[in-house]
Amino acid sequence: MIENEIWIDELRNKIIEEDDKILFNETVGCFLTKHYRAAYILSWITIIETLKRKIKLFSNLGDSRATDAVKEIEQTEEQKLSTDRLIFEESKKCGIIDNADLSTISYLWEQRCLFAHPYNKQPEVDEVKH
């Protein structure tokens, strides 16, 4: 348990945005009580919401790619469609993430799809930590 608490504190110290800390703390609560599926899904939500916020920040700073991305994300959300893939792909186009990050996030998204839907697949502790 101490090992996990150290790992969690190290991660928490890297978080700058207060909104991200709120989601992170909820994720930690699930993780520590061994609700790994919920922890994984909340981790995913944290990633996507952070990227979305950064795209909006870039847009507010005048980045035309980000402004176009925000419009597309908002239009997709208005249609009640999933924006997860759109958000992480647009994050790459805006330079928020690089190719290595995109590869990792694509993998996490695929796993999130398995864990979030009724395939009866539960993540292992190491998958949540990843």
Side-chain angles (χ1 to χ4, degrees):
M1 190 64 138
I2 297 296
E3 177 185 325
N4 284 335
E5 290 174 10
I6 292 169
W7 171 72
I8 289 166
D9 285 341
E10 288 172 355
L11 288 176
R12 186 180 285 115
N13 290 332
K14 294 178 182 180
I15 300 171
I16 297 167
E17 292 292 325
E18 287 303 314
D19 288 342
D20 294 340
K21 288 179 184 178
I22 292 167
L23 287 171
F24 179 80
N25 289 333
E26 291 180 15
T27 303
V28 167
C30 292
F31 178 79
L32 292 175
T33 57
K34 300 184 181 186
H35 293 100
Y36 298 137
R37 181 185 290 192
Y40 199 99
I41 294 168
L42 277 173
S43 294
W44 176 255
I45 291 169
T46 303
I47 291 168
I48 288 301
E49 290 301 316
T50 298
L51 292 175
K52 183 177 165 183
R53 189 178 305 102
K54 288 180 181 182
I55 292 170
K56 286 183 179 181
L57 176 63
F58 276 39
S59 176
N60 292 340
L61 294 173
D63 186 301
S64 62
R65 298 168 303 177
T67 300
D68 292 342
V70 168
K71 288 177 189 172
E72 188 173 358
I73 291 165
E74 288 175 350
Q75 288 172 350
T76 303
E77 287 176 339
E78 286 173 10
Q79 297 172 9
K80 308 285 189 232
L81 300 173
S82 174
T83 57
D84 289 7
R85 180 177 279 281
L86 176 62
I87 290 169
F88 67 77
E89 289 174 349
E90 291 298 324
S91 295
K92 169 65 172 86
K93 290 178 188 175
C94 293
I96 296 168
I97 60 174
D98 61 19
N99 285 332
D101 294 329
L102 181 63
S103 178
T104 300
I105 291 171
S106 294
Y107 170 76
L108 296 173
W109 178 73
E110 290 172 10
Q111 294 301 104
R112 193 274 319 158
C113 290
L114 289 176
F115 301 140
H117 298 289
Y119 300 119
N120 294 323
K121 181 154 175 41
Q122 296 283 334
E124 299 292 326
V125 66
D126 289 337
E127 290 174 304
V128 177
K129 283 184 160 186
H130 179 73

